[in-house]
Amino acid sequence: MKLTRSLYPDRWMAEAAGPGRDERTRQALAEAAALVAYGRSRAGRHAVARAVGRDHALAQPWLRTLVTNLTNS
């Protein structure tokens, strides 16, 4: 499998269209904002860490690190 570079330097400063204006995007942004607000409390961070910790994707090192950092904060 050949890997290709998908983000060339000339695209780093490209004008972005911004987020979509549809209902699905609005809901996703609202959920993200609510999750950030919830994560501002220690109890919220621990609850997120417990929920993520039950995911089968926890085999990924970056996700284990995230859960550890959330639990210890």
Side-chain angles (χ1 to χ4, degrees), residues 19 24-40 48:
R24 183 176 177 199
T25 301
R26 191 190 70 74
Q27 285 292 328
L29 290 172
E31 287 178 26
L35 185 58
V36 167
Y38 187 56
R40 288 195 173 121
V48 169

Side-chain angles (χ1 to χ4, degrees), residues 6-19:
S6 61
L7 187 56
Y8 292 95
D10 62 330
R11 296 180 66 190
W12 294 350
M13 301 300 288
E15 291 296 322

